[in-house]
Amino acid sequence: MDWYQTLFELIDMRSFSNLWFWIVLAVVWSTTSHYGLGVPFDMVLRAKRHGGQSEIDLEDLVRINTNRLLFIAQMSGLWIAGFACFFLTILGLLGFVYGNEFAQSVVLLALPLSVVGLLSLSTARLIQEEDARGEQLLKRLMRHRLYSQIIGMISIFVTAMWGMLQNIGGGIFGG
């Protein structure tokens, strides 16, 4: 019984007062910002600075990832959207109607990531429609990264404010 208690002290379900949650939040948004459409940002910078083979490699990787993303969206996009909405709604109800802090933290992480997912789909569609290459592709990827970072900054700010509200006074649930 002691190991069970120790485990749940380490993995505290009160997310906003837990260091692990904030570490996960930082890592998730850092990773999301670095890998736009599955392409590492350092590869974008290398292609922009050096061109040549770096640019060809970037175009190939973007083509592969956009084709994959759009194929998944075409084949099972409605199912994925339906399940995502279902789970976000369930978590939202558990978190903000019933006051479950763990569900609140998952919603505050998953909802903005869903927006970034939709942004990725939109960017992939635009890249494919325009048959973007060279400078045009670099601009698209840079814009995608900027928008992802803006969504991340807003998400981190809102999560931090909500977390402080929860930690200071138990939030609106009196918990």
Side-chain angles (χ1 to χ4, degrees):
M1 191 71 143
D2 190 23
W3 66 271
Y4 184 76
Q5 185 177 7
T6 305
L7 180 66
F8 273 96
E9 284 177 8
L10 181 64
I11 307 171
D12 189 3
M13 292 306 206
R14 292 174 298 124
S15 301
F16 299 114
S17 61
N18 190 336
L19 179 63
W20 290 108
F21 171 73
W22 297 105
I23 290 171
V24 166
L25 184 73
V27 168
V28 163
W29 283 110
S30 174
T31 304
T32 301
S33 172
H34 184 69
Y35 290 97
L37 294 176
V39 178
F41 188 66
D42 61 285
M43 202 170 172
V44 175
L45 289 178
R46 193 175 324 117
K48 187 174 185 174
R49 287 185 191 133
H50 303 293
Q53 187 61 43
S54 298
E55 192 170 332
I56 293 168
D57 291 345
L58 175 71
E59 289 174 358
D60 289 341
L61 187 56
V62 169
R63 180 184 46 79
I64 290 166
N65 286 341
T66 55
N67 287 343
R68 180 179 169 271
L69 191 61
L70 293 172
F71 177 76
I72 291 169
Q74 183 181 5
M75 296 307 291
S76 53
L78 287 176
W79 283 100
I80 292 171
F83 280 120
C85 290
F86 172 76
F87 286 116
L88 283 172
T89 301
I90 294 297
L91 285 170
L93 289 172
L94 281 172
F96 297 102
V97 174
Y98 293 105
N100 184 308
E101 191 172 315
F102 182 73
Q104 291 173 8
S105 66
V106 174
V107 167
L108 289 171
L109 191 60
L111 187 62
L113 285 174
S114 301
V115 174
V116 171
L118 292 173
L119 175 66
S120 296
L121 273 175
S122 175
T123 303
R125 184 186 53 78
L126 287 171
I127 287 171
Q128 193 175 60
E129 282 178 1
E130 297 170 345
D131 194 28
R133 297 185 189 283
E135 191 63 34
Q136 186 181 18
L137 178 62
L138 291 171
K139 281 184 180 180
R140 275 275 169 232
L141 292 173
M142 298 287 261
R143 189 174 301 137
H144 177 78
R145 181 172 196 245
L146 176 66
Y147 293 160
S148 296
Q149 287 177 327
I150 290 170
I151 293 167
M153 286 188 297
I154 293 169
S155 171
I156 290 169
F157 178 76
V158 168
T159 302
M161 292 299 112
W162 184 258
M164 282 192 284
L165 179 67
Q166 294 297 313
N167 288 333
I168 289 173
I172 59 174
F173 304 111

